[in-house]
Amino acid sequence: MKKIKSPIQEVLEQFFLLEEILSIKNLSKGNINDSYIVSLKDETYLLQRINTDVFPNPIQIFQNTEAIIKYIQTNFLEKIFSKIKYTKDGNLYYLSSKQEYWRMMVWIENSVSYTSPKNKSQAIEAGKALADFHNSLVNFPVHSLFETFPNFHNTKYRFEQFQNAIEHDSANRVIDVKNEINFLVKKHQLSGIIQSLIIQNLIPIRVTHNDPKMDNILLDQDTEKEICLIDLDTIMPGTILFDFGDMIRTCAVMASENETDLSKVEIDLNLFKGCVEGYASIANQFITNIEKAHLFLGALTIVYEQALRFLTDYLNGDQYYKIAYAEHNLERAKNQIKLVKSLENNQSQLEDIIHKCFNL
Ligand code: GN1
Ligand code: MG
């Protein structure tokens, strides 16, 4: 009798994985795609299924990845892009019989990622990794990249989606979250400032990662030094202000975005210093004065945007992010609102640190 192949087996064969598989484990990280760790005798792989509700045009992701693979000019990029596997047909993805898009890469040995840094030196490494990423692609033809997720960090657009969610109130939740809604509505002007600088061509468009949270920064398990950034889906044209912001959002706070004890959600000055020192030590080579002057605003805007996005999803009945319990998106939104307040309360000290590190 013919043995029926499991869907994962079908995918692995396309990526030349014909040896005996020792284990397949679900990697329960990430709010969007499904990830599996596949262990063979001599090598471990990361296998991922792309969420096509979020990325309806996944081929553009692979085209962007391929363009960067062809461009690799630094050791930093090599560390991640050389790990990506091609299929038997020479593609960076396999479209399965169930019409699912899969990709695979070799697991980076001896690497570790954290949700928040444990100390200042990890924050420094996170900052360096982000700046190394930007610096490695500083001369890449940015406009040749596809926008894999249009308007991803267009905070104005995110605010409009938030307003739509309030208006439709499809899950009947508006009544329960009046305070959070009022807070975000009051601050709506924040959504347009960086956007208008971009439209006026005052902020340069560069190759950006768009999701450089601490989880996506790999460190060496032994030395704790930076290795590379992972999660390549949203590499596209953008502003470094938002990448810097997302780094601060997750690397300058001890608590994660899932923390429900809001007393723990505070900007940590020591970690913040680490992030900025690390980032500036490399970014000072390419960053413009107008970018330097808006770094704090980048952080504030991205945390505000994230609060909008989590609350929007809660109002829409949890359609977008994976959730672990019913109020998860609401709790995440409250967490990010607390972080907006913490950034604002510490603004002058945080700006001083930025000024010192960037010689302003
Ligand atoms: C999502 O899937 P993951 O965890 O890499 C999201 C990011 C958010 C992040 C918050 C495509 O990233 O924008 O910052 O959750 N990615 C997408 O943890 O929406
Ligand atoms: Mg991501």
Side-chain angles (χ1 to χ4, degrees):
M1 209 167 68
K2 212 176 147 199
K3 236 175 121 186
I4 299 172
K5 276 187 216 160
S6 75
I8 289 197
Q9 190 80 34
E10 173 195 332
V11 178
L12 293 176
E13 282 179 13
Q14 294 300 317
F15 284 99
F16 300 99
L17 286 204
L18 306 169
E19 290 170 50
E20 194 194 341
I21 291 152
L22 299 183
S23 68
I24 301 177
K25 282 189 209 128
N26 200 328
L27 180 72
S28 50
K29 272 194 169 186
N31 296 329
I32 306 290
N33 296 324
D34 295 321
S35 305
Y36 302 89
I37 301 176
V38 180
S39 304
L40 271 63
K41 196 162 141 274
D42 298 317
E43 195 93 83
T44 303
Y45 296 88
L46 177 70
L47 182 68
Q48 288 185 302
R49 178 176 33 213
I50 308 292
N51 179 334
T52 45
D53 291 333
V54 170
F55 295 104
N57 204 347
I59 301 229
Q60 292 186 341
I61 297 179
F62 304 114
Q63 286 173 320
N64 282 357
T65 308
E66 183 136 45
I68 298 179
I69 290 177
K70 289 192 176 135
Y71 176 86
I72 300 178
Q73 293 183 350
T74 61
N75 201 5
F76 183 84
L77 291 182
E78 172 93 33
K79 282 190 225 150
I80 171 82
F81 284 92
S82 67
K83 300 288 186 195
I84 301 168
K85 300 283 286 181
Y86 282 86
T87 62
K88 288 176 179 170
D89 296 337
N91 293 318
L92 287 171
Y93 64 91
Y94 173 60
L95 179 58
S96 75
S97 50
K98 286 167 80 185
Q99 298 302 301
E100 294 172 334
Y101 286 84
W102 292 83
R103 68 166 163 222
M104 201 169 73
M105 60 178 280
V106 177
W107 185 262
I108 299 180
E109 261 178 56
N110 223 34
S111 64
V112 61
S113 74
Y114 301 101
T115 300
S116 325
K118 308 270 170 289
N119 50 51
K120 186 179 174 193
S121 46
Q122 286 184 1
I124 293 177
E125 293 305 311
K128 280 188 183 167
L130 181 61
D132 262 332
F133 177 83
H134 291 152
N135 200 29
S136 295
L137 290 162
V138 88
N139 293 317
F140 184 93
V142 57
H143 295 292
S144 69
L145 288 178
F146 290 100
E147 227 186 312
T148 56
F149 191 129
N151 290 315
F152 194 61
H153 285 317
N154 178 344
T155 317
K156 259 188 126 163
Y157 167 80
R158 297 292 189 180
F159 187 77
E160 283 159 23
Q161 289 191 317
F162 174 61
Q163 284 179 307
N164 285 341
I166 298 171
E167 205 174 298
H168 290 108
D169 194 13
S170 60
N172 295 317
R173 288 173 166 177
V174 166
I175 183 96
D176 303 323
V177 295
K178 285 272 185 226
N179 289 344
E180 289 74 21
I181 291 177
N182 288 342
F183 179 86
L184 294 173
V185 169
K186 250 193 225 150
K187 295 205 172 291
H188 81 278
Q189 268 164 345
L190 198 51
S191 67
I193 309 174
I194 292 183
Q195 209 49 44
S196 88
L197 294 173
I198 293 174
I199 290 166
Q200 294 170 68
N201 287 324
L202 293 172
I203 302 276
I205 293 301
R206 303 178 185 272
V207 180
T208 48
H209 183 280
N210 295 298
D211 190 12
K213 55 181 182 181
M214 186 72 190
D215 287 288
N216 285 338
I217 300 174
L218 291 192
L219 303 182
D220 186 294
Q221 235 162 27
D222 303 321
T223 63
E224 303 233 304
K225 297 285 175 208
E226 52 152 330
I227 301 180
C228 60
L229 294 193
I230 51 169
D231 188 350
L232 314 171
D233 299 337
T234 48
I235 296 180
M236 49 184 168
T239 160
I240 58 169
L241 298 181
F242 292 149
D243 274 0
F244 175 85
D246 229 350
M247 168 183 65
I248 296 302
R249 185 179 80 80
T250 52
C251 304
V253 196
M254 287 277 184
S256 85
E257 69 189 15
N258 294 308
E259 177 61 63
T260 53
D261 177 352
L262 299 186
S263 69
K264 295 186 180 152
V265 183
E266 281 290 349
I267 283 288
D268 180 304
L269 287 182
N270 201 34
L271 294 182
F272 184 87
K273 237 187 225 160
C275 291
V276 181
E277 269 172 38
Y279 188 73
S281 68
I282 294 159
N284 265 323
Q285 293 172 51
F286 61 79
I287 191 167
T288 63
N289 282 337
I290 186 146
E291 286 171 317
K292 289 181 191 177
H294 290 90
L295 286 169
F296 176 81
L297 189 64
L300 191 60
T301 310
I302 214 75
V303 180
Y304 171 76
E305 180 187 289
Q306 203 67 257
L308 284 177
R309 291 175 64 192
F310 286 137
L311 197 56
T312 301
D313 198 30
Y314 183 71
L315 293 174
N316 288 339
D318 310 308
Q319 306 278 319
Y320 186 88
Y321 294 109
K322 290 183 188 173
I323 52 167
Y325 58 95
E327 308 284 282
H328 201 162
N329 274 319
L330 174 59
E331 292 295 339
R332 287 164 169 158
K334 287 183 181 170
N335 172 306
Q336 298 294 291
I337 287 175
K338 173 72 195 296
L339 198 52
V340 167
K341 293 178 183 165
S342 178
L343 281 165
E344 286 179 336
N345 293 340
N346 292 286
Q347 180 161 356
S348 63
Q349 268 173 293
L350 301 176
E351 289 201 310
D352 274 355
I353 296 170
I354 292 175
H355 288 183
K356 282 204 186 94
C357 294
F358 285 95
N359 313 313
L360 276 171

